């Protein structure tokens, strides 16, 4: 089963090798990322969530392991700012063109800086949302970073 999303189309256009992994998304799960890892029978350490944040009022997309939280202090420092906070879900949806639970760093409506937690680069491949609830893509972390010209930093607690 292949799912075509704006995120997967973005990766294809960029010439990035990836595989698509659909799963049954549970909107009632207390932690959507952990539910995705469990549904795909993958360790949480290689499944990443995409969070939309603001650093000094400017949007920044952050990619971290589903079993970790973002340190706003570390994020602000990594982005060269003083303070960071989460963007409201409605604003994240408007900005990215994706629904919360399906936000991908790939193919967002408005291109914003992307920061990958350094933990991603310890794995051969990582799973990241492909742009739709219930669709993850697996790819090499460096390919993911290169696709969005992302930065690598320690941003997780």
């Amino acid at each position: 089963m292949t799912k075509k999303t704006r995120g997967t189309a973005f990766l294809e256009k960029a010439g990035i090798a990836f595989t698509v992994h659909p799963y049954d998304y549970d909107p009632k799960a207390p932690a959507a990322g952990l539910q995705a890892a469990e549904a795909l029978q993958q360790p949480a350490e290689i499944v990443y969530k995409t969070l939309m944040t603001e650093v000094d009022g400017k949007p920044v997309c952050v990619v971290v392991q589903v079993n970790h939280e973002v340190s706003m202090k570390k994020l602000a420092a990594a982005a060269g700012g003083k303070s960071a906070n989460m963007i409201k879900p409605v604003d994240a949806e408007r900005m990215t063109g994706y629904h919360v639970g399906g936000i991908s760093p790939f193919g967002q409506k408005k291109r914003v800086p992307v920061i990958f937690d350094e933990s991603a680069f310890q794995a051969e491949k990582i799973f990241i949302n492909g742009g739709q609830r219930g669709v993850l893509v697996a790819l090499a972390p460096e390919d993911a970073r290169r696709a969005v010209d992302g930065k690598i930093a320690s941003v997780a607690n």
Side-chain angles (χ1 to χ4, degrees), residues 1 3-5 20-28 32 35-36 89-90 93 97-104 128-136:
M1 178 167 152
K3 291 275 188 179
K4 186 94 167 179
T5 69
V20 177
H21 300 268
Y23 66 96
D24 289 329
Y25 174 80
D26 180 1
K28 294 181 179 147
Q35 185 260 329
V90 67
E93 289 182 344
Y98 294 125
H99 293 293
V100 169
I103 294 178
S104 175
I128 304 175
N129 198 291
Q132 182 178 319
R133 293 173 180 160
V135 177
L136 295 187

Side-chain angles (χ1 to χ4, degrees), residues 41-139:
Q41 299 179 347
Q42 295 296 325
E45 293 77 27
I46 64 168
V47 181
Y48 283 73
K49 58 188 171 184
T50 306
L51 303 172
M52 296 305 295
T53 65
E54 287 181 330
V55 175
D56 294 346
K58 295 183 178 145
V60 175
C61 178
V62 185
V63 180
V64 296
Q65 290 171 317
V66 296
N67 58 348
H68 285 86
E69 297 298 322
V70 173
S71 163
M72 293 300 166
K73 187 175 182 178
K74 289 180 181 179
L75 171 60
K82 293 182 181 181
S83 68
N85 59 281
M86 294 298 296
I87 290 178
K88 292 178 185 169
V90 67
D91 295 333
E93 289 182 344
R94 188 178 62 250
M95 183 181 308
T96 64
Y98 294 125
H99 293 293
V100 169
I103 294 178
S104 175
F106 313 117
Q108 291 187 4
K109 198 163 68 171
K110 179 183 178 193
R111 190 174 175 126
V112 301
V114 180
I115 298 178
F116 290 84
D117 186 65
E118 65 186 6
S119 62
F121 298 85
Q122 297 168 12
E124 196 173 303
K125 74 175 176 179
I126 58 175
F127 290 76
I128 304 175
N129 198 291
Q132 182 178 319
R133 293 173 180 160
V135 177
L136 295 187
V137 293
L139 67 170

